[in-house]
Amino acid sequence: MKVSVVIPLYNEEENVDELHRSLKPVMDATGIEYEILYVDDGSTDNTLNLLQKIQSGDSSLTILSLRRNFGQTAAFAAGFDYARGDIIVTMDGDLQNDPKDIPKLLELMEDNELVSGWRKKRQDPFLSRRLPSIIANWLISRVTGVNLHDYGCSLKAYRRDVVKNLKLYGEMHRFIPAVASWYGVKIAEVETTHHPRKRGKSKYGISRTMKVVLDLITVKFLQSFSTKPLQFFGPVGLLSGILGFLISLYLTFEKFILGNDIGGRPLLLLGALLIIVGIQFIGMGLLGEMMARVYHETQKKPIYVMRRVITSDKK
Ligand code: UDP
Ligand code: MG
C-alpha cells in the first residue's frame, strides 16, 4: 500500500457522493496503489448509510465509524491508526478542499516528510473565519517557530512514521506540523484550491479561536519545558522570592534599626506576597519535575526521536 487518504465526516450526507466521485478518478489517475478511509465521526444523519452504499461497489474503501462525535482531531487520529499507506493524505469531506491538489502534494512528498496545503484564496466568511485564522496563523508561527501560512488547512500529506507515533488531544491536529518540526521533520507548503462550502453546515464558529489559542499554550509548553518544568517556573519563582526577601529585609531594617512603625505599610504586604508566590512557583516547578519523570518513564516516552541507527556490520 502506498497512499492512504483519510477523510473525517460529520453529518455530510449532502457531500459524500460528490466527494467520492471527485476523489476516485484523481486517485486512479495517479497510478499509485491507494486506499481511502472515510471516518464517520458519529454522524446523526445519513452519512454512514451513504458511505456503505458507496463501499459496496468499491473495495479500496474502508469506513471507520466512531461511536459518537469525538471531533475532527479524534477522527484524524482514528484514520492514522488504521491507515496502511506509506504516505497518509488528509482532507476535509465537505468538498472545500479539492482532490485535484492531491497529486501536487504527493509529488512534493518525494523529498519532504510533511506537505501542508495553503488555502491562499480561502473561500470562507471574512469576519468570523478568515480574520481569526490570519491572527491564529501568525501567532502559531511566532510561538512555534514553524513558518506556515495556513495551519488550519486539512489537506496535508504525511510520511507514515510522522503521524504513527503522534498522540493527538483536543483540537491538536493543526499543530501536527509544529510538533513534527520539533521532531526534525522536513516540511513543505503548497498552494491549494479552496472552494466555498456548497452544501451542509460548517461545524465551527468563532469560538474555535479561543480553543486554538489555549491549545497553542499547551503545545508551546510541552515543546519547550516538558522535560524541564523547573526551568520554566523557577526563574519567576526565584525573582519573586528574592525581591520579596529584599523588601522584607529593608522593612526589618526600618523596624529594628530606625525604629519606624511598619505595620501599616503596603510594602509589607507586597514583600510577603512575593515571598509566598516565589515559594509557590518553585514548588510548582519541582512538582512539575516529578510529573515529567512519571510522564516520561511510565509511558516510555522518549526525550529524543531517532531517524535510524547506523551500525557498521563487522561479522
Ligand atoms: N468534522 C468531523 N467532526 C467534527 C467536526 C467536523 O469529522 O466534529 C469534519 C467535517 O465533516 C468536515 C471537516 O471535518 O469534513 C471540516 O469541518 P468543517 O467543514 O465544518 O470545518 P471548516 O471547513 O468550516 O473549518
Ligand atoms: Mg469546511
Side-chain angles (χ1 to χ4, degrees):
M1 186 69 63
K2 280 281 192 283
V3 178
S4 301
V5 184
V6 173
I7 303 180
L9 297 159
Y10 177 49
N11 293 344
E12 302 285 359
E13 58 181 2
E14 295 111 315
N15 290 314
V16 283
D17 266 323
E18 191 180 331
L19 172 69
H20 193 68
R21 263 187 284 118
S22 58
L23 175 62
K24 189 79 187 165
V26 174
M27 292 314 293
D28 284 336
T30 60
I32 305 172
E33 195 190 345
Y34 71 92
E35 64 173 351
I36 301 171
L37 294 115
Y38 288 117
V39 187
D40 169 40
D41 186 15
S43 299
T44 50
D45 65 357
N46 224 4
T47 302
L48 184 58
N49 288 333
L50 290 172
L51 285 176
Q52 278 174 296
K53 219 170 273 166
I54 298 172
Q55 190 184 36
S56 61
D58 191 339
S59 61
S60 64
L61 208 149
T62 306
I63 304 167
L64 304 172
S65 167
L66 305 186
R67 277 191 182 272
R68 65 165 173 87
N69 177 238
F70 286 93
Q72 198 181 347
T73 297
F76 278 133
F80 294 155
D81 285 341
Y82 282 84
R84 287 169 294 167
D86 304 314
I87 292 174
I88 299 172
V89 176
T90 57
M91 62 181 262
D92 279 347
D94 57 357
L95 291 161
Q96 288 199 263
N97 294 135
D98 199 324
K100 289 196 197 76
D101 288 322
I102 293 179
K104 206 155 58 174
L105 268 78
L106 292 179
E107 201 176 299
L108 275 166
M109 280 303 281
E110 270 160 33
D111 32 38
N112 290 286
E113 295 167 298
L114 192 168
V115 178
S116 181
W118 170 18
R119 299 164 292 179
K120 194 167 185 187
K121 300 197 183 78
R122 190 171 165 181
Q123 308 288 334
D124 277 322
F126 181 76
L127 218 54
S128 68
R129 305 302 300 274
R130 266 160 49 214
L131 183 65
S133 145
I134 290 169
I135 298 169
N137 284 320
W138 178 81
L139 210 63
I140 298 173
S141 287
R142 287 299 301 271
V143 172
T144 62
V146 183
N147 283 317
L148 291 183
H149 294 89
D150 186 6
Y151 287 85
C153 181
S154 291
L155 186 55
K156 290 191 172 80
Y158 310 91
R159 272 262 307 274
R160 172 192 183 79
D161 55 313
V162 171
V163 291
K164 276 292 175 182
N165 297 315
L166 219 58
K167 288 269 171 271
L168 300 175
Y169 301 97
E171 299 278 314
M172 292 288 187
H173 64 267
R174 71 186 58 238
F175 294 109
I176 297 178
V179 177
S181 101
W182 177 68
Y183 285 160
V185 167
K186 202 168 164 219
I187 300 177
E189 191 174 46
V190 61
E191 276 178 42
T192 56
T193 324
H194 194 245
H195 303 289
R197 205 185 231 279
K198 276 185 286 179
R199 287 178 298 259
K201 273 201 284 291
S202 170
K203 311 300 180 296
Y204 302 104
I206 186 100
S207 69
R208 180 163 66 181
T209 316
M210 182 82 87
K211 293 182 189 156
V212 168
V213 171
L214 291 174
D215 277 344
L216 177 62
I217 296 176
T218 312
V219 167
K220 177 65 187 172
F221 178 77
L222 289 179
Q223 226 176 52
S224 336
F225 298 107
S226 71
T227 57
K228 42 181 184 330
L230 187 57
Q231 289 180 27
F232 178 74
F233 292 110
V236 187
L238 273 185
L239 209 70
S240 167
I242 291 173
L243 206 63
F245 177 74
L246 290 178
I247 288 174
S248 305
L249 201 67
Y250 164 69
L251 287 177
T252 311
F253 171 77
E254 281 223 7
K255 167 86 183 167
F256 289 113
I257 310 293
L258 305 181
N260 293 336
D261 203 6
I262 60 163
R265 302 274 298 267
L267 205 56
L268 182 64
L269 212 62
L270 182 67
L273 189 75
L274 286 176
I275 290 176
I276 294 171
V277 167
I279 293 171
Q280 294 249 309
F281 265 78
I282 302 274
M284 208 135 71
L286 286 172
L287 278 178
E289 291 283 333
M290 304 269 280
M291 297 278 293
R293 281 157 184 71
V294 172
Y295 172 79
H296 282 95
E297 284 164 27
T298 53
Q299 300 182 53
K300 302 225 171 352
K301 281 220 192 291
I303 57 169
Y304 57 83
V305 182
M306 186 88 64
R307 182 171 287 128
R308 60 203 157 110
V309 181
I310 304 159
T311 54
S312 59
D313 236 284
K314 289 195 220 103
K315 259 186 275 172

